[in-house]
């Protein structure tokens, strides 16, 4: 027998969205962006690779100083309030490692991002989940949640609605530990909880470059929180967690907000068109503030839609969870991809 920790031996491990081999698939299953990243990103990477990649000889800047400075300027905070990361998943992991010891409480909303549970399992933390009410609020949230961390995905995944800041502020007041607002999809909407970080000591906001910035393949994320929280996260991360190419990519992407806005608005336009078309053929589609929709067919059989689209080499996300099996989550691709998806949905229904 391997001398594994008991919780590691017993945990299942996370299953990421399917990444198909071979050509010809339309991937609408992992909320990737259909458009390339800002051209400034490739320019920055090519510049970093000049002289035969001579710079790669040297370690990167362990403190991500330039990327933090640019992010801090963008969000109107001091750089000591910002940390960069190897995907926002690294931050979620390190927040648990920093705040929740073995047997201590970690909570999140179900349904939302199930990776929180895997990360809490690794740490041996005690997991609690809260459901949603019909009004899209947290069901039975205590006056004071005593656990160390509560993760709030806002906008929600996979339903796509947002929580307003008054409500998030109220939750912050009801958390004895920290409230992590996972804003993976915030660029597709307008209201962010970022201002609450300054008002509430226990609020941390995390962001990813994987969706709105089209950089899932670079692995980049960031968090904004008070300097004491950032200092703790800096202590426990791998010192060279971001390589030179990722660092210049992050800086270039953050500096091109105009490009970000242009791709985001194209995606939102396609989303609204696609949602309306699905409603015309009898689907129920929740209004979404993100780059995906949760779509429920008339017969409430998500698996049938998933299988029908799979046969057309179109991948969407089906969750067998009882709260989600009546629909599918469909990422918003390019207009052409969504036209093909619509045709396939009509053919399979
Ligand atoms: C995609 C996603 C993440 C992970 O982002 P990475 O930066 O790719 O690690 C985190 N939270 C939510 C809710 C997501 O959808």
């Amino acid at each position: 027998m391997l001398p594994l920790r008991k919780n590691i031996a017993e945990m299942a491990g996370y299953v990421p969205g399917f990444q198909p081999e071979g050509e010809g698939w339309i991937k609408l299953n992992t909320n990737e962006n259909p458009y390339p990243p800002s051209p400034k990103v490739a320019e920055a990477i090519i510049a970093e690779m000049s002289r035969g990649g001579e710079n790669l000889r040297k370690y990167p800047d362990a403190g991500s100083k330039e990327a933090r400075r640019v992010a801090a300027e963008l969000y109107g905070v001091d750089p000591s309030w910002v940390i960069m990361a190897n995907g926002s998943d690294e931050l979620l992991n390190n927040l648990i490692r920093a705040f929740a010891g073995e047997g201590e409480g970690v909570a999140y909303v179900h349904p939302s991002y199930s990776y929180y549970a895997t990360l809490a399992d690794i740490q041996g933390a005690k997991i609690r989940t809260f459901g949603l009410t019909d009004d899209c609020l947290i069901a039975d949230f205590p006056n004071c949640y005593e656990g160390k961390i509560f993760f709030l995905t806002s906008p929600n995944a996979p339903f796509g609605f947002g929580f307003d800041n008054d409500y998030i502020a109220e939750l912050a007041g009801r958390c004895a530990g920290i409230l992590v607002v996972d804003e993976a999809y915030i660029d597709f909407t307008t209201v962010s909880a970022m201002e609450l970080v300054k008002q509430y000591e226990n609020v941390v906001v995390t962001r990813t470059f994987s969706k709105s910035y089209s950089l899932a393949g670079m692995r980049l994320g960031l968090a904004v929180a008070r300097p004491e929280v950032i200092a703790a996260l800096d202590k426990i991360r791998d010192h060279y967690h971001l390589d030179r190419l990722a660092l210049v990519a992050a800086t270039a992407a953050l500096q091109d907000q105009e490009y970000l806005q242009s791709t985001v608005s194209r995606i939102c336009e396609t989303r609204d068109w696609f949602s309306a078309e699905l409603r015309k053929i009898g689907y129920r589609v929740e209004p979404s503030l993100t780059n995906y929709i949760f779509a429920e067919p008339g017969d409430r059989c998500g698996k049938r839609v998933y299988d029908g689209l799979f046969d057309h080499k179109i991948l969407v996300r089906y969750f067998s969870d009882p709260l989600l099996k009546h629909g599918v989550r469909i990422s918003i691709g390019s207009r052409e991809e969504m036209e093909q998806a619509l045709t396939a949905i009509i053919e399979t229904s």
Side-chain angles (χ1 to χ4, degrees), residues 258-274:
E258 200 180 318
Y259 181 88
L260 174 78
Q261 287 314 322
S262 72
T263 49
V264 160
S265 58
R266 276 165 87 183
I267 291 167
C268 292
E269 244 170 67
T270 306
R271 175 194 68 205
D272 295 344
W273 165 79
F274 185 71

Side-chain angles (χ1 to χ4, degrees), residues 158-227:
F159 293 131
F161 66 84
F163 296 95
D164 69 41
N165 275 354
D166 287 345
Y167 185 63
I168 297 176
E170 185 195 319
L171 291 174
R174 288 161 65 178
C175 285
I178 59 165
L179 170 62
V180 178
V181 187
D182 181 344
E183 293 194 335
Y185 299 99
I186 203 71
D187 293 319
F188 297 96
T189 177
T190 47
V191 185
S192 158
M194 200 66 96
E195 65 178 73
L196 299 181
V197 173
K198 293 179 207 162
Q199 296 163 22
Y200 294 85
E201 272 186 13
N202 61 340
V203 174
V204 176
V205 167
T206 62
R207 300 274 182 99
T208 175
F209 290 64
S210 298
K211 283 59 185 242
S212 55
Y213 287 98
S214 306
L215 287 170
M218 268 332 278
R219 312 304 305 128
L220 282 166
L222 64 83
V224 177
R226 4 201 91 225

Side-chain angles (χ1 to χ4, degrees), residues 209-244:
F209 290 64
S210 298
K211 283 59 185 242
S212 55
Y213 287 98
S214 306
L215 287 170
M218 268 332 278
R219 312 304 305 128
L220 282 166
L222 64 83
V224 177
R226 4 201 91 225
E228 306 87 276
V229 174
I230 300 298
L233 293 172
D234 268 324
K235 252 189 221 172
I236 63 171
R237 66 177 166 81
D238 287 352
H239 32 269
Y240 297 120
H241 60 158
L242 293 175
D243 62 63
R244 284 175 170 273

